Amino acid sequence: MFKFKIVVILIVILFYSFIWKVGQPVEIVATHNKSVILVNNFPFFKSWQINWWEINKEKIHKKYGIPETYRDGSFGVVIHDFGNGYREDRWIDQDSDLLCFDDMQMKKNCIKKKILMTINKYKESKIYYR
């Protein structure tokens, strides 16, 4: 009986932790190069991610100019996890998974690559989410 209570308590804690995490709003931390968005608290499920983009794409375009649409109507956006923030590229093997931004004039201008979602539209086609 005691083990059952512990298991139930752990399940309840996990459930409420999941609900709390899901309930956090997406935070856009930074944007780069008219195509990269760095976020915290991005939705876990792909359908929720697409829904977030569809709801917020106009606001994002007005505020950050993303996506930058080319003459033929195509565009691309990559959403990355901001994670532990910006890092410095020390030019060693352990830094090979960093994505660095040349639009920042400081040493800490890289993030660890963790793509959460890509949004692409090719000339005269539908929008693709990955």
Side-chain angles (χ1 to χ4, degrees):
M1 187 68 171
F2 180 71
K3 288 181 182 180
F4 178 75
K5 286 181 180 181
I6 290 177
V7 169
V8 169
I9 289 171
L10 288 175
I11 290 172
V12 169
I13 289 171
L14 288 173
F15 175 75
Y16 280 109
S17 298
F18 177 76
I19 296 298
W20 178 80
K21 174 70 175 151
V22 168
Q24 296 296 310
V26 175
E27 174 190 11
I28 297 176
V29 178
T31 63
H32 296 281
N33 305 324
K34 300 288 185 187
S35 64
V36 177
I37 301 173
L38 306 180
V39 298
N40 283 325
N41 305 320
F42 204 60
F44 181 74
F45 299 109
K46 187 59 74 181
S47 61
W48 294 1
Q49 294 172 356
I50 293 169
N51 187 48
W52 175 83
W53 172 257
E54 289 298 322
I55 290 170
N56 293 286
K57 66 184 176 185
E58 296 296 325
K59 290 183 230 171
I60 292 169
H61 183 70
K62 284 180 183 174
K63 187 170 183 177
Y64 304 106
I66 296 175
E68 181 177 41
T69 305
Y70 299 104
R71 289 183 189 172
D72 65 0
S74 64
F75 66 83
V77 176
V78 181
I79 300 174
H80 282 270
D81 183 27
F82 189 61
N84 294 324
Y86 290 110
R87 301 174 172 193
E88 181 179 348
D89 187 354
R90 299 166 294 167
W91 299 97
I92 59 175
D93 287 346
Q94 289 83 359
D95 289 344
S96 64
D97 64 341
L98 295 181
L99 173 64
C100 299
F101 303 104
D102 56 4
D103 61 345
M104 295 178 67
Q105 303 302 319
M106 53 185 56
K107 286 186 177 186
K108 291 186 176 184
N109 66 341
C110 306
I111 61 164
K112 186 170 182 171
K113 290 180 194 171
K114 185 175 179 189
I115 296 175
L116 300 171
M117 184 167 92
T118 61
I119 304 125
N120 294 295
K121 181 178 187 294
Y122 304 102
K123 183 170 80 173
E124 300 179 22
S125 71
K126 65 180 187 172
I127 296 176
Y128 295 92
Y129 299 96
R130 278 183 235 136

